[in-house]
Amino acid sequence: MVKPVVFKFGGTSLQTADRIRKAVDIMAGSHAPLVVVTSAVGGVTNQLASLIADPSLADGKGEELRRLHLQIARDLGLERADLADYEAHIATTLADLDQAGAILDDRGRERVLSIGERLSTYLVARVLSARGIRSEYIDSRTLVRTDSVWGEARVDLDTTRTLVDQGLLPIVARGVVPIVTGFLGRNAKGDTTTIGRNGSDLSATVLGACLDAGEVWIWTDVSGIYTADPRYYQGGRLLEEISFREAAEAAYFGASVIHPHTLWPLLETNVAVRIKNTFQPEDPGTLICAHPKKRGNILITTSIEGVSVITVGGYGMLGIQGVAARIFSVVQTVGTSVLMISQSSSEHNISMVVRDAEVDKTVKSLHASLSEWMMSAHRIDHIRVVPDVAIITVVGEDMKGRSGIAGKFFTALGRSAINIIAIAQGSSEYSISAVIAAHETRRAIEGIHRELDEENDK
Ligand code: ADP
Ligand code: ASP
Ligand code: MG
């Protein structure tokens, strides 16, 4: 059998009937056997997440989602029988929302979050069938086995491979196109799990690895990976090829075009990923692979916002044994994920960048855990928070062998009169990061780009 190609369509490619039609055209035009992974209709998972955060919003939400999806189905021209069938699917799916108390425990919350993909994917399968292409709706809970970390479940690749062999390969072998929900899995007990916001990219590579696919194509609203997020800077270059490591590092530091975990299932395979534009399908896109042939064009400037710096410090801190261990064990205990660490021995402090939502619980626990040292004079005398910051990072695998990149990075920030709050170089030497005030993000990206772009020609 010719190796299948996995196509993944993100929420931005499924937001309206018109966009879904474009996505379906792309599926219909493929010559390779296909497996398609779809996200929820753009914005729907956000709505579901907000009613989990505030259950008082749940009233009327089911009806709103029913109407939205039915309207898209009508705009897509589904015939009456298909519409009735879809309506029945919507009703069963939304029952998860209506169950009293469903959103009050972890299992119920995961089921609620899963609704978006179950609604969109079924519709895409129906539309493709209506185009005369045999397709089947597949709920990925039957394929993707995960652990039980609610909202961020980790995929068990071995078990998933067995489930894919049994449940997905035979469908592809029959010449039918499976349309599979992204984002969802199931733990060993059979509970619904979700694999992290924006996780459908990962769903696609998990299936790509398990199927030993030809390639995984991620269809989105940009023509590939640029040297800067096009929302911040329009002058970035489109990258033809980029390595797994560069793409993973860029994604981690904010290049949200792919989820940061997207590439791990493929690291030990020969399966490459291509980023493609649903709205300009003829563009070649960006190829992400283990060993790109084409080098150059490798410096990507990324940013993460919605973060704060927490600094623990004091003149006596260097003399305290085990202080760093204590600080990071607190962080781990409260479940905070630290995006960046920077230690300055001259000022005797340790700074870490964390997401805004995690600041309060972290600071409270640090106070409790470090109190004995805070009370003794000159040991630890402050735990400070600087809110509204951003991490700006330059990523590139070749940076290692090239001098002067760090200098140009800091010169660019200096020339733009941007104050640096903290700095860190990744141990991989694939990246350098600086923390700056969030309102200066755009200016920083422009400045760094101007200073460093010529490096991309070397
Ligand atoms: P989807 O709904 O297809 O998953 P996303 O919004 O998750 O789409 O990802 C696409 C977006 O990623 C683009 O619209 C773009 O703004 C953003 N993005 C961030 N950094 C980059 C980058 N370096 N190159 C391209 N796009 C980027
Ligand atoms: N629909 C999910 C989300 O918005 C997953 C995805 O789109 O990748 O997070
Ligand atoms: Mg995405």
Side-chain angles (χ1 to χ4, degrees):
M1 189 175 88
V2 182
K3 285 188 175 188
V5 172
V6 178
F7 278 5
K8 176 261 172 176
F9 290 89
T12 49
S13 299
L14 302 168
Q15 217 154 7
T16 61
D18 215 32
R19 292 183 176 201
I20 293 178
R21 208 173 282 122
K22 288 198 169 70
V24 169
D25 284 347
I26 289 168
M27 296 171 211
S30 165
H31 299 300
L34 276 190
V35 171
V36 177
V37 172
T38 40
S39 293
V41 166
V44 167
T45 312
N46 280 347
Q47 292 183 40
L48 295 165
S50 64
L51 67 90
I52 286 171
D54 178 3
S56 73
L57 299 174
D59 267 2
K61 186 49 87 182
E63 180 52 21
E64 195 183 321
L65 289 174
R66 193 181 76 86
R67 277 203 199 145
L68 170 77
H69 288 84
L70 263 186
Q71 190 55 49
I72 295 178
R74 278 194 209 101
D75 293 346
L76 280 162
L78 273 196
E79 301 215 344
R80 189 180 283 190
D82 280 342
L83 268 181
D85 173 71
Y86 185 43
E87 199 161 1
H89 174 80
I90 295 178
T92 334
T93 308
L94 288 176
D96 274 346
L97 195 60
D98 297 334
Q99 273 168 16
I103 47 188
L104 298 178
D105 75 352
D106 289 325
R107 287 174 185 77
R109 283 189 199 108
E110 293 285 73
R111 277 207 309 279
V112 168
L113 269 185
S114 77
I115 286 173
E117 270 68 14
R118 288 153 62 198
L119 293 178
S120 62
T121 305
Y122 195 91
L123 176 60
V124 171
R126 281 274 163 261
V127 178
L128 193 61
S129 296
R131 289 275 299 260
I133 292 166
R134 288 192 298 152
S135 66
E136 197 174 315
Y137 165 70
I138 307 283
D139 183 328
S140 58
R141 291 177 295 180
T142 61
L143 299 176
V144 178
R145 175 63 57 81
T146 72
D147 66 9
S148 305
V149 181
W150 309 116
E152 290 281 347
R154 279 171 301 229
V155 176
D156 166 355
L157 210 52
D158 289 335
T159 310
T160 302
R161 190 169 282 120
T162 309
L163 294 169
V164 164
D165 281 351
Q166 294 163 354
L168 196 61
L169 265 181
I171 300 174
V172 183
R174 277 193 277 124
V176 174
V177 181
I179 315 284
V180 187
T181 54
F183 189 44
L184 322 180
R186 201 173 253 165
N187 65 12
K189 287 191 192 149
D191 304 315
T192 300
T193 54
T194 59
I195 60 172
R197 292 302 312 274
N198 303 308
S200 297
D201 299 327
L202 174 59
S203 307
T205 51
V206 162
L207 295 185
C210 293
L211 288 160
D212 190 26
E215 281 189 356
V216 175
W217 290 24
I218 293 180
W219 292 90
T220 183
D221 64 347
V222 282
S223 290
I225 303 184
Y226 288 82
T227 52
D229 184 342
R231 281 172 302 193
Y232 285 103
Y233 183 67
Q234 304 282 313
R237 299 177 186 216
L238 180 62
L239 301 170
E240 261 177 62
E241 287 189 17
I242 158 174
S243 72
F244 281 141
R245 290 193 238 198
E246 284 163 339
E249 189 98 346
Y252 176 83
F253 283 111
S256 55
V257 58
I258 53 168
H259 184 279
H261 297 163
T262 305
L263 299 166
W264 73 259
L266 303 180
L267 291 181
E268 285 171 15
T269 71
N270 288 319
V271 184
V273 174
R274 209 176 275 276
I275 310 294
K276 293 277 291 176
N277 190 338
T278 307
F279 312 111
Q280 278 163 241
E282 58 294 342
D283 287 357
T286 298
L287 183 72
I288 312 175
C289 58
H291 304 290
K293 285 185 241 37
K294 216 178 140 80
R295 299 307 305 166
N297 290 351
I298 43 86
L299 293 171
I300 308 165
T301 311
T302 63
S303 61
I304 304 179
E305 290 183 87
V307 294
S308 302
V309 187
I310 302 176
T311 301
V312 178
Y315 282 104
M317 201 166 100
L318 264 191
I320 310 177
Q321 285 221 327
V323 68
R326 178 85 70 94
I327 290 171
F328 292 111
S329 99
V330 167
V331 165
Q332 195 193 2
T333 311
V334 295
T336 296
S337 85
V338 175
L339 301 168
M340 188 185 124
I341 298 165
S342 149
Q343 179 161 25
S344 134
S345 51
S346 61
E347 287 182 30
H348 302 184
N349 62 37
I350 294 178
S351 298
M352 56 201 155
V353 182
V354 308
R355 299 211 181 274
D356 289 343
E358 300 188 319
V359 169
D360 287 349
K361 67 173 183 192
T362 311
V363 169
K364 215 164 121 206
S365 302
L366 282 171
H367 269 287
S369 174
L370 303 176
S371 61
E372 79 215 59
W373 289 324
M374 297 201 69
M375 283 184 288
S376 55
H378 303 306
R379 309 237 55 191
I380 294 179
D381 58 24
H382 62 263
I383 298 176
R384 249 181 239 133
V385 177
V386 182
D388 302 323
V389 301
I391 304 176
I392 299 288
T393 304
V394 176
V395 176
E397 205 169 318
D398 285 0
M399 235 160 68
K400 214 172 180 170
R402 285 154 66 178
S403 58
I405 306 271
K408 287 191 173 174
F409 174 67
F410 294 119
T411 304
L413 294 174
R415 283 215 180 114
S416 309
I418 291 170
N419 180 38
I420 298 171
I421 299 166
I423 56 178
Q425 173 157 30
S427 55
S428 60
E429 296 183 55
Y430 298 155
S431 65
I432 311 170
S433 301
V435 178
I436 62 170
H439 70 268
E440 297 186 315
T441 303
R442 191 176 293 268
R443 224 153 44 79
I445 293 177
E446 281 169 13
I448 293 164
H449 226 270
R450 265 198 309 274
E451 195 77 36
L452 278 170
D453 193 42
E454 66 193 45
E455 292 291 330
N456 283 329
D457 290 325
K458 286 184 181 164

